[in-house]
Coordinates of all heavy atoms in Angstrom, one line a residue:
R311 N 6.6 -20.5 -202.5 CA 7.6 -19.7 -203.4 C 9.0 -20.1 -203.3 O 9.4 -20.5 -202.1 CB 7.5 -18.1 -203.2 CG 6.2 -17.6 -203.5 CD 6.1 -16.1 -203.1 NE 4.9 -15.5 -203.2 CZ 4.7 -14.2 -202.9 NH1 5.6 -13.4 -202.4 NH2 3.5 -13.6 -203.0
L312 N 9.7 -20.1 -204.3 CA 11.2 -20.2 -204.4 C 11.5 -18.8 -205.0 O 11.4 -18.6 -206.1 CB 11.7 -21.4 -205.2 CG 13.3 -21.6 -205.3 CD1 13.8 -21.8 -203.9 CD2 13.5 -22.6 -206.3
S313 N 12.1 -18.0 -204.2 CA 12.6 -16.6 -204.6 C 14.0 -16.5 -204.9 O 14.8 -17.4 -204.6 CB 12.2 -15.7 -203.4 OG 10.7 -15.7 -203.2
A314 N 14.4 -15.5 -205.6 CA 15.6 -15.2 -206.2 C 16.8 -15.1 -205.2 O 18.0 -15.6 -205.5 CB 15.8 -14.0 -207.1
L315 N 16.6 -14.5 -204.1 CA 17.7 -14.3 -203.1 C 17.7 -15.4 -202.0 O 16.8 -15.5 -201.2 CB 17.6 -12.9 -202.4 CG 17.6 -11.8 -203.3 CD1 17.5 -10.5 -202.6 CD2 18.9 -11.7 -204.3
P316 N 18.5 -16.4 -202.2 CA 18.5 -17.6 -201.3 C 18.9 -17.5 -199.9 O 18.6 -18.4 -199.2 CB 19.4 -18.6 -202.1 CG 20.5 -17.7 -202.7 CD 19.7 -16.4 -203.0
L317 N 19.4 -16.4 -199.6 CA 19.9 -16.2 -198.2 C 19.0 -15.7 -197.2 O 19.0 -14.6 -196.5 CB 21.1 -15.3 -198.2 CG 22.3 -15.7 -199.2 CD1 23.3 -14.6 -199.1 CD2 22.8 -17.1 -198.8
G318 N 17.7 -16.5 -197.1 CA 16.7 -16.1 -196.2 C 15.4 -16.7 -196.5 O 15.4 -17.7 -197.4
G319 N 14.3 -16.3 -195.9 CA 13.0 -16.9 -196.2 C 12.1 -16.5 -195.1 O 12.4 -15.8 -194.2
Y320 N 10.8 -16.8 -195.4 CA 9.8 -16.5 -194.4 C 8.4 -17.1 -194.6 O 8.2 -17.6 -195.8 CB 9.5 -14.9 -194.6 CG 8.9 -14.5 -195.9 CD1 7.6 -14.3 -196.1 CD2 9.8 -14.1 -197.0 CE1 7.1 -13.8 -197.3 CE2 9.3 -13.8 -198.3 CZ 7.9 -13.6 -198.3 OH 7.4 -13.3 -199.5
V321 N 7.6 -17.1 -193.6 CA 6.2 -17.5 -193.8 C 5.4 -16.3 -193.4 O 5.7 -15.6 -192.4 CB 5.8 -18.8 -192.9 CG1 6.4 -20.0 -193.4 CG2 6.1 -18.5 -191.5
K322 N 4.3 -16.0 -194.1 CA 3.5 -14.9 -193.8 C 2.1 -15.5 -193.3 O 1.4 -16.1 -194.1 CB 3.2 -14.1 -195.0 CG 2.3 -12.7 -194.7 CD 2.2 -11.9 -195.8 CE 1.5 -10.6 -195.4 NZ 0.2 -10.8 -194.7
L323 N 1.8 -15.2 -192.1 CA 0.6 -15.8 -191.5 C -0.5 -14.7 -191.6 O -0.4 -13.5 -191.6 CB 0.8 -16.0 -189.9 CG 2.0 -17.0 -189.6 CD1 2.0 -17.1 -188.2 CD2 1.9 -18.2 -190.4
K324 N -1.7 -15.2 -191.7 CA -3.0 -14.2 -191.9 C -3.0 -13.4 -190.6 O -2.9 -14.0 -189.4 CB -4.2 -15.2 -192.1 CG -5.5 -14.1 -192.2 CD -6.6 -15.0 -192.6 CE -7.9 -14.3 -192.7 NZ -9.0 -15.1 -193.1
G325 N -3.1 -12.1 -190.7 CA -3.2 -11.2 -189.6 C -1.9 -10.9 -189.0 O -1.9 -10.2 -187.8
Q326 N -0.8 -11.2 -189.5 CA 0.5 -10.9 -188.9 C 1.3 -9.9 -189.8 O 1.6 -10.2 -190.9 CB 1.3 -12.1 -188.7 CG 2.7 -11.8 -187.9 CD 3.6 -13.1 -187.9 OE1 3.6 -13.8 -188.9 NE2 4.4 -13.2 -186.8
D327 N 1.6 -8.7 -189.3 CA 2.3 -7.6 -190.0 C 3.2 -6.9 -189.1 O 2.6 -6.1 -188.3 CB 1.4 -6.8 -190.9 CG 2.0 -5.9 -191.9 OD1 3.2 -5.5 -191.7 OD2 1.4 -5.7 -192.9
D328 N 4.5 -7.0 -189.2 CA 5.3 -6.3 -188.3 C 5.2 -4.7 -188.4 O 5.4 -4.0 -187.5 CB 6.7 -6.7 -188.5 CG 7.0 -8.2 -188.2 OD1 6.2 -8.7 -187.5 OD2 8.1 -8.7 -188.4
F329 N 5.0 -4.2 -189.6 CA 5.0 -2.8 -189.8 C 3.7 -2.2 -189.9 O 3.6 -1.0 -190.0 CB 5.9 -2.5 -191.1 CG 7.3 -3.0 -191.1 CD1 7.7 -4.0 -191.8 CD2 8.2 -2.4 -190.3 CE1 9.0 -4.4 -191.6 CE2 9.5 -2.8 -190.0 CZ 9.9 -3.9 -190.9
N330 N 2.7 -3.0 -189.8 CA 1.3 -2.4 -189.7 C 0.5 -3.0 -188.7 O -0.5 -3.7 -189.0 CB 0.6 -2.5 -191.1 CG 1.3 -1.7 -192.3 OD1 1.3 -0.6 -192.1 ND2 1.9 -2.4 -193.1
P331 N 0.9 -2.9 -187.4 CA 0.2 -3.6 -186.3 C -1.2 -3.2 -186.1 O -2.0 -3.9 -185.6 CB 1.0 -3.2 -185.1 CG 1.7 -2.0 -185.4 CD 2.0 -2.1 -187.0
K332 N -1.6 -2.1 -186.7 CA -3.0 -1.5 -186.6 C -3.9 -2.4 -187.5 O -5.1 -2.5 -187.2 CB -3.1 -0.1 -187.0 CG -2.3 0.9 -186.1 CD -2.4 2.3 -186.7 CE -1.7 3.3 -185.8 NZ -1.6 4.7 -186.3
E333 N -3.5 -3.0 -188.4 CA -4.2 -3.8 -189.4 C -4.4 -5.3 -188.9 O -3.9 -6.2 -189.4 CB -3.5 -3.8 -190.9 CG -3.5 -2.5 -191.5 CD -2.9 -2.6 -193.0 OE1 -2.7 -3.7 -193.4 OE2 -2.6 -1.5 -193.5
Q334 N -5.2 -5.3 -187.8 CA -5.4 -6.4 -187.0 C -6.5 -7.3 -187.8 O -7.6 -6.6 -188.4 CB -5.9 -6.4 -185.7 CG -4.7 -5.7 -184.8 CD -3.6 -6.8 -184.5 OE1 -3.9 -7.9 -184.6 NE2 -2.5 -6.4 -184.2
N335 N -6.5 -8.6 -187.9 CA -7.5 -9.5 -188.5 C -8.0 -10.4 -187.4 O -7.2 -11.1 -186.7 CB -6.9 -10.2 -189.6 CG -8.0 -11.0 -190.3 OD1 -8.7 -11.8 -189.8 ND2 -8.0 -10.8 -191.7
Y336 N -9.2 -10.3 -187.1 CA -9.8 -11.1 -186.1 C -10.6 -12.3 -186.5 O -11.6 -12.9 -185.8 CB -10.6 -10.3 -185.1 CG -9.7 -9.2 -184.3 CD1 -9.7 -7.9 -184.8 CD2 -8.9 -9.7 -183.3 CE1 -8.7 -7.0 -184.2 CE2 -8.1 -8.8 -182.7 CZ -8.0 -7.4 -183.2 OH -7.2 -6.6 -182.4
E337 N -10.5 -12.7 -187.7 CA -11.1 -13.9 -188.3 C -10.7 -15.1 -187.6 O -9.5 -15.1 -187.0 CB -11.0 -14.1 -189.8 CG -11.7 -12.8 -190.4 CD -11.5 -13.0 -192.0 OE1 -11.2 -13.9 -192.5 OE2 -11.8 -12.0 -192.7
K338 N -11.4 -16.2 -187.5 CA -11.0 -17.4 -186.8 C -9.7 -18.0 -187.1 O -9.1 -18.7 -186.3 CB -12.1 -18.4 -186.7 CG -12.5 -19.1 -188.0 CD -13.5 -20.1 -187.9 CE -13.7 -20.8 -189.3 NZ -14.7 -21.9 -189.1
D339 N -9.4 -17.9 -188.4 CA -8.1 -18.5 -188.9 C -6.9 -17.5 -189.0 O -5.9 -17.7 -189.7 CB -8.3 -19.1 -190.3 CG -8.7 -18.2 -191.4 OD1 -9.1 -16.9 -191.0 OD2 -8.7 -18.4 -192.5
S340 N -7.0 -16.4 -188.2 CA -6.0 -15.4 -188.1 C -5.0 -15.6 -186.9 O -5.5 -16.1 -185.8 CB -6.7 -14.1 -188.1 OG -5.7 -13.0 -187.8
Y341 N -3.7 -15.2 -187.2 CA -2.8 -15.1 -186.1 C -3.2 -14.1 -184.9 O -3.0 -14.4 -183.8 CB -1.6 -14.7 -186.7 CG -0.3 -14.5 -185.8 CD1 0.4 -15.6 -185.2 CD2 0.1 -13.3 -185.3 CE1 1.5 -15.5 -184.4 CE2 1.1 -13.1 -184.4 CZ 1.8 -14.2 -184.0 OH 2.9 -14.0 -183.2
G342 N -3.9 -13.1 -185.4 CA -4.3 -12.0 -184.4 C -5.3 -12.4 -183.3 O -5.3 -11.9 -182.2
V343 N -6.0 -13.5 -183.4 CA -7.1 -14.0 -182.4 C -6.4 -14.9 -181.4 O -7.0 -15.3 -180.4 CB -8.2 -14.6 -183.1 CG1 -8.8 -13.6 -184.1 CG2 -7.7 -15.9 -183.8
L344 N -5.1 -15.2 -181.6 CA -4.4 -16.2 -180.7 C -4.0 -15.6 -179.4 O -3.8 -14.4 -179.3 CB -3.2 -16.9 -181.4 CG -3.3 -17.6 -182.7 CD1 -2.1 -18.1 -183.2 CD2 -4.4 -18.9 -182.4
S345 N -4.0 -16.5 -178.4 CA -3.4 -15.9 -177.1 C -2.0 -15.8 -177.2 O -1.3 -16.4 -178.0 CB -3.9 -17.0 -176.0 OG -3.2 -18.2 -176.2
P346 N -1.4 -15.1 -176.2 CA 0.2 -14.9 -176.3 C 0.8 -16.3 -176.3 O 1.9 -16.4 -176.9 CB 0.4 -14.0 -174.9 CG -0.9 -13.2 -174.8 CD -2.0 -14.2 -175.2
L347 N 0.5 -17.1 -175.5 CA 1.0 -18.4 -175.4 C 1.0 -19.2 -176.7 O 2.0 -19.8 -177.0 CB 0.4 -19.4 -174.3 CG 0.9 -19.1 -172.8 CD1 0.1 -20.1 -171.9 CD2 2.3 -19.4 -172.7
K348 N -0.1 -19.2 -177.5 CA -0.2 -19.8 -178.7 C 0.7 -19.2 -179.7 O 1.3 -19.8 -180.6 CB -1.6 -19.9 -179.2 CG -2.5 -20.9 -178.4 CD -3.9 -20.9 -178.9 CE -4.8 -21.9 -178.1 NZ -6.3 -21.9 -178.6
K349 N 0.8 -17.8 -179.7 CA 1.7 -17.1 -180.5 C 3.3 -17.4 -180.2 O 4.0 -17.6 -181.2 CB 1.5 -15.6 -180.3 CG 0.3 -15.0 -181.0 CD 0.1 -13.5 -180.8 CE -1.2 -13.0 -181.3 NZ -1.4 -11.6 -181.0
I350 N 3.6 -17.6 -178.9 CA 4.9 -18.0 -178.5 C 5.2 -19.3 -179.1 O 6.3 -19.7 -179.5 CB 5.1 -17.9 -177.0 CG1 5.0 -16.5 -176.6 CG2 6.3 -18.5 -176.6 CD1 5.0 -16.3 -175.1
Y351 N 4.3 -20.2 -179.1 CA 4.3 -21.6 -179.6 C 4.7 -21.6 -181.0 O 5.6 -22.3 -181.5 CB 3.0 -22.4 -179.3 CG 2.9 -23.6 -180.2 CD1 3.7 -24.7 -180.0 CD2 1.9 -23.7 -181.1 CE1 3.5 -25.8 -180.7 CE2 1.7 -24.9 -181.8 CZ 2.6 -25.9 -181.6 OH 2.4 -27.1 -182.4
I352 N 4.1 -20.7 -181.8 CA 4.4 -20.6 -183.2 C 5.7 -20.0 -183.5 O 6.5 -20.4 -184.2 CB 3.4 -19.8 -184.0 CG1 2.0 -20.5 -184.0 CG2 3.7 -19.5 -185.4 CD1 0.9 -19.6 -184.6
L353 N 6.1 -18.9 -182.7 CA 7.4 -18.3 -182.9 C 8.5 -19.1 -182.4 O 9.5 -19.1 -183.1 CB 7.3 -16.9 -182.0 CG 6.3 -15.9 -182.5 CD1 6.1 -14.8 -181.3 CD2 6.9 -15.2 -183.7
F354 N 8.3 -19.9 -181.4 CA 9.4 -20.7 -180.9 C 9.7 -22.0 -181.8 O 10.9 -22.5 -181.8 CB 9.2 -21.1 -179.5 CG 10.2 -22.1 -178.8 CD1 11.4 -21.5 -178.5 CD2 10.0 -23.5 -178.8 CE1 12.4 -22.3 -177.9 CE2 11.0 -24.3 -178.2 CZ 12.2 -23.6 -177.7
A355 N 8.8 -22.4 -182.6 CA 8.8 -23.6 -183.4 C 9.8 -23.4 -184.4 O 10.5 -24.5 -184.7 CB 7.4 -23.8 -184.0
G356 N 10.1 -22.3 -185.0 CA 11.1 -22.1 -186.0 C 12.5 -22.4 -185.4 O 13.3 -23.3 -186.0
P357 N 12.9 -21.7 -184.4 CA 14.2 -21.9 -183.8 C 14.4 -23.3 -183.3 O 15.4 -24.0 -183.5 CB 14.3 -20.9 -182.7 CG 13.5 -19.8 -183.1 CD 12.4 -20.5 -183.8
F358 N 13.4 -23.8 -182.7 CA 13.3 -25.2 -182.1 C 13.6 -26.3 -183.3 O 14.3 -27.2 -183.1 CB 11.9 -25.6 -181.5 CG 11.9 -27.1 -181.1 CD1 12.5 -27.6 -180.0 CD2 11.2 -28.0 -181.9 CE1 12.5 -28.9 -179.7 CE2 11.2 -29.3 -181.6 CZ 11.8 -29.8 -180.4
F359 N 13.0 -26.0 -184.5 CA 13.2 -26.9 -185.6 C 14.7 -26.9 -186.1 O 15.3 -28.0 -186.4 CB 12.3 -26.5 -186.8 CG 11.2 -27.5 -186.9 CD1 10.3 -27.6 -185.7 CD2 10.8 -28.1 -188.0 CE1 9.2 -28.5 -185.8 CE2 9.6 -28.9 -188.1 CZ 8.9 -29.1 -187.0
N360 N 15.3 -25.7 -186.0 CA 16.7 -25.7 -186.2 C 17.6 -26.5 -185.3 O 18.5 -27.2 -185.7 CB 17.2 -24.2 -186.2 CG 17.0 -23.6 -187.6 OD1 16.4 -22.4 -187.6 ND2 17.3 -24.1 -188.6
L361 N 17.3 -26.4 -184.0 CA 18.0 -27.1 -183.0 C 17.7 -28.6 -183.1 O 18.5 -29.4 -183.0 CB 17.5 -26.6 -181.6 CG 17.9 -25.1 -181.3 CD1 17.3 -24.8 -179.8 CD2 19.4 -24.9 -181.3
F362 N 16.5 -28.9 -183.4 CA 16.1 -30.3 -183.6 C 16.8 -30.9 -184.9 O 17.3 -32.1 -184.9 CB 14.6 -30.6 -183.7 CG 14.2 -32.0 -183.9 CD1 14.4 -32.8 -182.9 CD2 13.5 -32.3 -185.0 CE1 14.0 -34.2 -183.1 CE2 13.1 -33.6 -185.2 CZ 13.3 -34.6 -184.2
L363 N 16.9 -30.3 -185.9 CA 17.6 -30.5 -187.1 C 19.1 -30.9 -186.8 O 19.6 -31.9 -187.3 CB 17.5 -29.5 -188.2 CG 18.3 -29.8 -189.5 CD1 17.8 -31.1 -190.2 CD2 18.2 -28.6 -190.5
A364 N 19.7 -30.0 -186.0 CA 21.2 -30.1 -185.7 C 21.3 -31.6 -184.9 O 22.2 -32.2 -185.2 CB 21.6 -29.0 -184.8
F365 N 20.3 -31.9 -183.9 CA 20.3 -33.0 -183.1 C 20.2 -34.3 -184.1 O 21.0 -35.3 -184.1 CB 19.1 -33.1 -182.2 CG 19.1 -34.4 -181.4 CD1 19.7 -34.4 -180.3 CD2 18.1 -35.3 -181.8 CE1 19.8 -35.6 -179.5 CE2 17.9 -36.5 -180.9 CZ 18.8 -36.6 -179.9
L366 N 19.4 -34.2 -185.2 CA 19.3 -35.2 -186.1 C 20.6 -35.6 -187.0 O 21.0 -36.5 -187.3 CB 18.0 -35.1 -187.0 CG 16.8 -35.0 -186.5 CD1 15.6 -34.7 -187.4 CD2 16.4 -36.3 -185.7
L367 N 21.2 -34.3 -187.3 CA 22.4 -34.3 -188.1 C 23.5 -35.0 -187.3 O 24.3 -35.7 -187.8 CB 22.7 -33.0 -188.5 CG 21.9 -32.4 -189.7 CD1 22.3 -30.9 -189.9 CD2 22.0 -33.2 -191.0
Y368 N 23.5 -34.7 -186.0 CA 24.5 -35.2 -185.1 C 24.4 -36.8 -185.0 O 25.4 -37.5 -184.9 CB 24.6 -34.6 -183.8 CG 25.2 -33.2 -183.6 CD1 24.6 -32.1 -183.3 CD2 26.6 -33.1 -184.2 CE1 25.3 -30.9 -183.3 CE2 27.3 -31.9 -184.2 CZ 26.6 -30.8 -183.8 OH 27.2 -29.6 -183.6
I369 N 23.1 -37.3 -185.0 CA 22.9 -38.7 -185.0 C 23.4 -39.4 -186.3 O 24.1 -40.4 -186.2 CB 21.4 -39.0 -184.9 CG1 21.0 -38.6 -183.5 CG2 21.0 -40.4 -185.1 CD1 19.4 -38.7 -183.3
I370 N 23.3 -38.7 -187.4 CA 23.8 -39.3 -188.7 C 25.3 -39.3 -188.6 O 26.0 -40.1 -189.1 CB 23.3 -38.5 -189.8 CG1 21.7 -38.5 -190.0 CG2 24.0 -38.8 -191.1 CD1 21.1 -37.5 -191.0
I371 N 25.8 -38.1 -188.2 CA 27.4 -38.0 -188.0 C 27.9 -39.2 -187.1 O 28.9 -39.7 -187.5 CB 27.7 -36.7 -187.5 CG1 27.4 -35.5 -188.5 CG2 29.2 -36.6 -187.1 CD1 27.3 -34.2 -187.8
A372 N 27.2 -39.5 -186.0 CA 27.6 -40.4 -185.1 C 27.8 -41.7 -185.8 O 28.7 -42.6 -185.5 CB 26.6 -40.5 -184.0
H373 N 26.8 -42.1 -186.6 CA 26.8 -43.4 -187.3 C 27.9 -43.4 -188.5 O 28.4 -44.5 -188.7 CB 25.4 -43.7 -187.9 CG 24.5 -44.1 -186.9 ND1 23.8 -43.3 -186.0 CD2 24.1 -45.4 -186.4 CE1 23.0 -44.0 -185.3 NE2 23.2 -45.3 -185.4
L374 N 27.9 -42.3 -189.1 CA 29.0 -42.2 -190.3 C 30.5 -42.2 -189.7 O 31.4 -42.9 -190.3 CB 28.9 -40.9 -191.0 CG 27.6 -40.9 -191.9 CD1 27.6 -39.3 -192.5 CD2 27.7 -41.9 -193.0
G375 N 30.6 -41.8 -188.5 CA 32.0 -41.8 -187.8 C 32.5 -40.5 -187.8 O 32.4 -39.7 -188.6
V376 N 33.1 -40.2 -186.5 CA 33.6 -39.0 -186.3 C 35.2 -39.0 -186.1 O 35.7 -40.0 -185.4 CB 33.1 -38.4 -184.8 CG1 33.7 -37.1 -184.6 CG2 31.6 -38.4 -184.9
Q377 N 35.9 -38.3 -186.9 CA 37.4 -38.3 -186.9 C 38.0 -37.5 -185.8 O 37.6 -36.2 -185.7 CB 37.9 -38.0 -188.3 CG 37.7 -39.0 -189.4 CD 38.5 -38.6 -190.6 OE1 38.9 -37.6 -190.9 NE2 38.9 -39.8 -191.2
K378 N 38.9 -38.1 -184.9 CA 39.4 -37.3 -183.9 C 40.8 -37.6 -183.7 O 41.2 -38.7 -184.1 CB 38.7 -37.5 -182.6 CG 37.2 -37.0 -182.6 CD 36.6 -37.2 -181.2 CE 35.2 -36.6 -181.1 NZ 34.6 -36.6 -179.8
P379 N 41.7 -36.7 -183.1 CA 43.1 -37.2 -182.8 C 43.2 -38.3 -181.9 O 42.4 -38.4 -180.9 CB 43.8 -35.9 -182.2 CG 42.5 -35.1 -181.7 CD 41.4 -35.4 -182.6
A380 N 44.0 -39.3 -182.2 CA 44.1 -40.5 -181.3 C 44.7 -40.1 -180.0 O 45.5 -39.1 -179.8 CB 45.0 -41.5 -182.0
P381 N 44.4 -40.8 -178.9 CA 45.0 -40.6 -177.6 C 46.4 -41.0 -177.4 O 46.9 -41.6 -176.4 CB 44.0 -41.3 -176.7 CG 43.7 -42.5 -177.6 CD 43.6 -42.1 -178.9
Q382 N 47.2 -40.6 -178.4 CA 48.6 -41.1 -178.4 C 49.5 -39.8 -178.2 O 49.3 -38.7 -178.8 CB 49.0 -41.7 -179.8 CG 50.5 -42.2 -179.7 CD 50.7 -42.8 -181.2 OE1 50.5 -42.3 -182.2 NE2 51.3 -44.1 -181.2

Side-chain angles (χ1 to χ4, degrees):
R311 297 177 182 176
L312 181 63
S313 300
L315 304 180
L317 306 177
Y320 63 96
V321 292
K322 186 178 185 306
L323 307 182
K324 183 176 181 179
Q326 183 187 37
D327 193 328
D328 289 346
F329 297 111
N330 293 292
K332 295 177 183 178
E333 296 183 10
Q334 293 289 334
N335 186 308
Y336 294 102
E337 296 177 15
K338 66 177 183 178
D339 60 348
S340 171
Y341 177 82
V343 301
L344 298 179
S345 67
L347 273 178
K348 289 182 177 180
K349 289 179 181 177
I350 290 171
Y351 163 66
I352 293 175
L353 294 165
F354 181 74
F358 172 77
F359 261 52
N360 277 131
L361 297 174
F362 181 62
L363 175 61
F365 180 78
L366 296 178
L367 290 174
Y368 282 126
I369 291 176
I370 296 171
I371 293 163
H373 283 83
L374 289 175
V376 183
Q377 288 192 328
K378 294 186 176 184
Q382 184 180 50

